[in-house]
Amino acid sequence: MPTNEKEYNGYLLDQLHALQRLEKIAKKNNYTEMLEAIAEEMRFVNEKLYQSPPMTRE
């Protein structure tokens, strides 16, 4: 479990990077359903990553 916001953001960025790698493969093979699912997951991760206000205030 992440102990702070920076560590949590690191996990979210890792998820985003994994989704981007999957997206690249899906585009290459024209997997439209998979591209839709990846886009939705990326939106979820971005919502968490760029939430306002942040989890903690400095």
Side-chain angles (χ1 to χ4, degrees), residues 4-40:
N4 59 44
E5 186 174 4
K6 185 174 181 179
E7 187 176 354
Y8 183 67
N9 286 347
Y11 288 124
L12 292 174
L13 287 170
D14 288 343
Q15 290 177 4
L16 197 56
H17 293 151
L19 288 167
Q20 289 170 341
R21 289 190 297 274
L22 291 171
E23 181 182 42
K24 182 179 177 182
I25 294 166
K27 282 182 180 177
K28 181 179 178 184
N29 293 292
N30 198 26
Y31 295 147
T32 54
E33 285 184 47
M34 182 176 277
L35 284 168
E36 291 171 8
I38 290 169
E40 185 176 19

